[in-house]
Structures are given as structure tokens and as C-alpha cells.
Amino acid sequence: MAEQTEKKLIFSGIQPTGVFTLGNYIGAIRNWGPLQDEYRCVYSVVDMHAITVRQDSVKLRQNTLQAYALLMACGIDLEKSLLFIQSHVHTHAELSWILSCNTQFGELSRMTQFKDKSQRHPDDMNAGLFTYPVLMAADILAYNADLVPVGVDQKQHLELARDIAQRFNQRYGDFFTMPEPYIPLVGAKVMSLQDPTKKMSKSDTNPNACILILDDKDTIIRKCKRAVTDSDTVVRYAEGKDGINNLMTIYSSVTGKDFDAIEREFDGQGYDTFKMAVGEAVADHLRPMQETYAKLIGDKKYLNECYTQSDAKALAYSSKIVQKVYHKIGFVDAR
Ligand code: ATP
Ligand code: LTN
């Protein structure tokens, strides 16, 4: 990365909590590949974040490799970017501790994701779930990232990362770059197919609520056909038509057509035809990625080489920043 220092730096991460949804894909991951030419990109499979919710250890290991291969299949190119596994780079946990000493209890209590997740897991309100946003701030600040591509649900966490950075800068002198969110104009919040007032989420218990990016064509079409819509029949983007608005957003994201063009295309055709078209367009869009994924996941040795190389580069880069942080706060320099 050293020879390209004039380019801005991007950081983003995704949790290995299962196969990615179409929401993860449209809201975040699909934007990561195209950014690689303009920016220095650092991406991570954030397994330490995933354990804030109880995980089966065998499944977590499989999901982490799967997430890694999926990101490569979605276009992360290791010639251009870093793609590493968070737990392999110890600077993240180290910086997280320092930042947690510069974060207020009240700030963390206001995080809506904490409130949601602690309600959903009342038997496991662990401290990690509470301090999750501090680790996320550490991920970003350990690289002094300029931009963070995420879906809209992560905006609040990013604002907290900025507040933490600003507080640190005020206490110890300007050091951290203020990271900016990079949120897509269309598709920043893909909604559940079964309850279009809720975000599509990997952890939804109803399998019809989300399209997984490894679903086959028949499954995708079936899920689209069953999507909850209103009792109107006109394909039109309008208030109160949450289900149709969501399907139009999905269709627009995978075909590149704008809402006016979609309304014209389905003029007088009713919801069934539209839902079928959405399912087919999504399946066709995902197919090349699915084929690449199938090849990658069978080659564990290659995957291992890829993350080992990125882990080392990420560690070298972030260590320099964390060492400077240690010095600024008054720790005696280590040899
Ligand atoms: P979980 O359900 O396990 O909490 P998740 O599906 O919310 O996970 P994350 O790993 O937390 O997924 O998110 C990865 C990225 O995907 C983030 O940038 C997040 O903003 C984005 N994202 C998640 N869900 C959606 C969605 N429905 N629409 C758009 N972007 C989304
Ligand atoms: N919290 C994020 C995942 C995440 C992340 C990050 C995103 C962890 N660290 C750093 C951007 C930058 C989520 O999507 N739930």
C-alpha cells in the first residue's frame, strides 16, 4: 500500500454470522469492489464482532472461510486491496481497549443496535455486545481510514467512531482522521420480504424474509413471489407501498434501471409479473458470483495463502498507528 499514499483509505468489515443476504450485498459488499481503483481498500471478516452473539465454534470457523471466499467472489481483488481476518491482527483488540477508555457509558447505552440485540438475546447481554461499537471504531481508526462503506444501519456506529476520534484528538493532539460514511443512494436499507418495515437480516428466523446470495434461482423466485405487498396492483414507488418500494429498490440495484423506467416497464402488468421479473433479475445477477464462489471455497490452501498475506500487511500497517497512539497516551515505548 505504501507506494499509493496519495489515495484515500477505505475500511469496511462484515461479520461471519452466516451466508450474506441480498441486503448485505446491495447495501455494502457490492460497492466494495468498484472502490478499489480509486482508493486504497482494507476489508476484513470481523469474527471478533461475531462472537458478541453466541456462536457455535465449528460453524464460526466455516462461516469465516465462507465469508472470506464470498467477498473474493464479490470482486475483492488481492492485487489491489487487503482482505484479512480480524482476529489475526491483534492491533484491533489493543486499540479497542485504549478507545474504550475514551468512550462514555452513556454513549454506548444510546446505540440502537445494542438495544435491539440485547432485547433479542436477553439471556446473553454480554459486555462485548455493549462495547461492540468501540471495536468497530478501532477497526477504522487503526488504519486512519477516510471513508467507510456501510449500509444505513451502521451510521450511528460510525458517528460514535467519529466522536471517539475527536475526543482523542482533543485530549492528546490531532492524530486520527475523521472517517466519513459512504452510504449508497439506492439500497442502503433493503427490507425484509415478509415485513417490509423491518431491515432484511441474516439472523431473521423466517427463511422467506431474506434472499441469501447463495440461494439458487428457484428459491430466489419463490421468495420473491411470496414477498408481502399491498392490495393495490400498480407497480409504482409511493408512500405506504413498502413491499413494492423494496422490490423496486432491489430490481433497480441489480438491473441499473431507475424507478421511472421500472414503472413504465411494468405498466398495466400487475404484481405477479413484476415479482417474477425481480426474482429472475436477482438470480441472473448473482449467478457469476456464485460460480466463482464454488471454485474458491474448494481451495482452502489458496484461501489460506490469501488471508495470511493480507493479515501480515494489515498488522504491519496498523501497528505503526497503534504504536503512535501508545506513545501519545504516555505508555513507555517498547523496544
Ligand atoms: P446480523 O443479522 O448477523 O446482525 P447483518 O445482516 O445485519 O447481520 P452485518 O454483518 O451486521 O449484517 O452487516 C454487514 C454490512 O451489511 C453492513 O455494512 C450493514 O450496514 C449492511 N447491511 C446489513 N443489512 C442490510 C440491509 N438490510 N440493507 C442494506 N445494508 C445492510
Ligand atoms: N458493525 C458492522 C461490521 C463492522 C464494520 C467495521 C463495518 C465491524 N467493524 C468497521 C465498517 C467498518 C456491521 O455491519 N454490523
Side-chain angles (χ1 to χ4, degrees):
M1 293 202 297
E3 69 279 9
Q4 308 170 327
T5 40
E6 73 287 352
K7 286 186 179 175
K8 288 194 168 179
L9 195 139
I10 291 235
F11 185 95
S12 199
I14 186 157
Q15 304 183 77
T17 41
V19 179
F20 302 154
T21 68
L22 192 63
N24 297 138
Y25 177 78
I26 291 175
I29 306 161
R30 72 168 310 187
N31 308 310
W32 293 8
L35 294 166
Q36 297 175 112
D37 292 320
E38 217 180 312
Y39 300 95
R40 293 174 291 154
C41 295
V42 182
Y43 297 124
S44 181
V45 177
V46 292
D47 49 353
M48 295 200 298
H49 277 101
I51 61 162
T52 54
V53 171
R54 205 42 79 245
Q55 302 288 336
D56 174 88
S57 53
V58 173
K59 267 239 117 84
L60 179 62
R61 224 182 312 279
Q62 284 169 353
N63 284 340
T64 303
L65 286 182
Q66 178 187 62
Y68 196 91
L70 275 174
L71 290 175
M72 288 184 78
C74 288
I76 308 304
D77 177 354
L78 295 184
E79 296 284 317
K80 299 177 182 163
S81 305
L82 300 188
L83 178 57
F84 69 95
I85 297 178
Q86 185 190 35
S87 63
H88 294 183
V89 182
H90 55 75
T91 42
H92 292 240
E94 292 164 358
L95 184 58
S96 182
W97 176 253
I98 307 297
L99 298 181
S100 71
C101 299
N102 289 276
T103 307
Q104 297 301 305
F105 183 88
E107 290 179 303
L108 292 173
S109 314
R110 285 194 288 278
M111 295 293 115
T112 51
Q113 183 177 294
F114 170 70
K115 290 188 218 163
D116 287 354
K117 287 204 174 173
S118 53
Q119 261 171 21
R120 271 193 275 143
H121 305 277
D123 53 336
D124 188 21
M125 272 203 226
N126 65 77
L129 197 58
F130 189 63
T131 57
Y132 176 115
V134 183
L135 179 58
M136 178 163 161
D139 293 341
I140 298 165
L141 300 179
Y143 299 84
N144 258 331
D146 299 283
L147 279 180
V148 182
V150 279
V152 84
D153 62 311
Q154 294 302 311
K155 200 163 170 245
Q156 193 186 32
H157 286 164
L158 202 61
E159 277 159 10
L160 179 63
R162 289 168 60 91
D163 290 343
I164 298 172
Q166 198 165 25
R167 184 169 306 127
F168 185 95
N169 287 353
Q170 271 160 6
R171 284 186 182 159
Y172 299 106
D174 253 6
F175 181 70
F176 287 126
T177 306
M178 281 301 142
E180 299 281 346
Y182 185 97
I183 296 174
L185 292 176
V186 174
K189 192 171 185 187
V190 176
M191 310 308 274
S192 154
L193 297 181
Q194 291 299 310
D195 176 357
T197 61
K198 266 179 31 194
K199 123 180 155 143
M200 184 183 281
S201 168
K202 296 189 206 97
S203 37
D204 204 309
T205 47
N206 181 347
N208 288 322
C210 57
I211 293 173
L212 303 179
I213 65 172
L214 290 179
D215 279 346
D216 61 31
K217 188 166 190 168
D218 289 348
T219 308
I220 295 174
I221 290 176
R222 181 168 38 80
K223 289 179 178 177
C224 286
K225 279 189 176 162
R226 290 191 187 163
V228 171
T229 44
D230 53 77
S231 54
D232 189 14
T233 52
V234 185
V235 177
R236 181 166 49 93
Y237 197 97
E239 208 179 323
K241 290 168 71 76
D242 296 333
I244 285 295
N245 294 349
N246 191 38
L247 290 175
M248 285 180 74
T249 300
I250 292 173
Y251 191 67
S252 168
S253 301
V254 297
T255 60
K257 296 173 185 170
D258 66 20
F259 292 154
D260 283 346
I262 298 171
E263 287 176 9
R264 281 196 303 276
E265 184 178 351
F266 294 96
D267 187 24
Q269 297 203 50
Y271 287 175
D272 287 347
T273 313
F274 176 55
K275 287 179 174 178
M276 184 78 192
V278 175
E280 286 192 339
V282 170
D284 290 346
H285 178 89
L286 293 176
R287 192 181 314 107
M289 179 280 295
Q290 293 179 345
E291 287 166 4
T292 310
Y293 169 78
K295 287 185 204 133
L296 284 167
I297 197 65
D299 195 347
K300 299 283 185 305
K301 188 165 165 279
Y302 176 64
L303 292 176
N304 182 304
E305 278 164 21
C306 291
Y307 59 72
T308 304
Q309 204 181 70
S310 274
D311 293 346
K313 288 185 186 163
L315 180 62
Y317 194 91
S318 57
S319 290
K320 287 193 193 131
I321 291 179
V322 173
Q323 256 167 34
K324 285 185 191 152
V325 169
Y326 275 21
H327 183 81
K328 275 195 165 283
I329 60 181
F331 289 172
V332 172
D333 295 331
R335 286 202 19 89

